Amino acid sequence: MKKYLLPVCAAALLASGCASSPTASAPAATAPAASTPAKPTATAEQASAAIAAAESSQAEAAKVGYEWRDTGALIEDAKKAAADNDFDRAVALATKAEHQGKLAVAQHAMEAKRLSELK
């Protein structure tokens, strides 16, 4: 795993550094007026679908024995947000949990390949 950790971390740092660096030609972003509340964009159906996708992804990761520590907590938080009618937050949390599940399955595949190469 150490073999893959450094390139992955370096790529993440480069991507986040590049994305947050302003360019001279980019116009400055203006913040929305404080008196105008942001309109919710997600619906209850979208939140429900996102939570279902996250649970499916979590199950796939658990099936291969690589479920990440925080995935279940993210799904529970998404369910609570949906129950509170905060569908944007529910979708965001569920999407993050789904992504973690997919990364866990990919991690399992990389480790299995690495171990098979050692034999």
Side-chain angles (χ1 to χ4, degrees), residues 46-67:
Q46 289 169 326
S48 180
I51 291 169
E55 289 174 330
S56 175
S57 181
Q58 178 189 30
E60 288 297 315
K63 191 167 134 181
V64 296
Y66 265 70
E67 183 179 356

Side-chain angles (χ1 to χ4, degrees), residues 61-99:
K63 191 167 134 181
V64 296
Y66 265 70
E67 183 179 356
W68 287 5
R69 180 193 66 209
D70 297 335
T71 306
L74 285 169
I75 292 171
E76 290 306 311
D77 289 346
K79 288 179 180 179
K80 288 176 189 171
D84 292 339
N85 295 326
D86 189 355
F87 303 124
D88 287 335
R89 180 168 165 72
V91 168
L93 291 167
T95 301
K96 185 173 182 177
E98 179 185 11
H99 189 67

Side-chain angles (χ1 to χ4, degrees), residues 1-79:
M1 177 147 166
K2 290 179 184 179
K3 180 173 151 182
Y4 298 108
L5 188 57
L6 184 58
V8 171
C9 291
L13 286 173
L14 285 174
S16 65
C18 294
S20 63
S21 299
T23 61
S25 62
T30 57
S35 62
T36 308
K39 291 183 181 181
T41 57
T43 64
E45 292 79 19
Q46 289 169 326
S48 180
I51 291 169
E55 289 174 330
S56 175
S57 181
Q58 178 189 30
E60 288 297 315
K63 191 167 134 181
V64 296
Y66 265 70
E67 183 179 356
W68 287 5
R69 180 193 66 209
D70 297 335
T71 306
L74 285 169
I75 292 171
E76 290 306 311
D77 289 346
K79 288 179 180 179

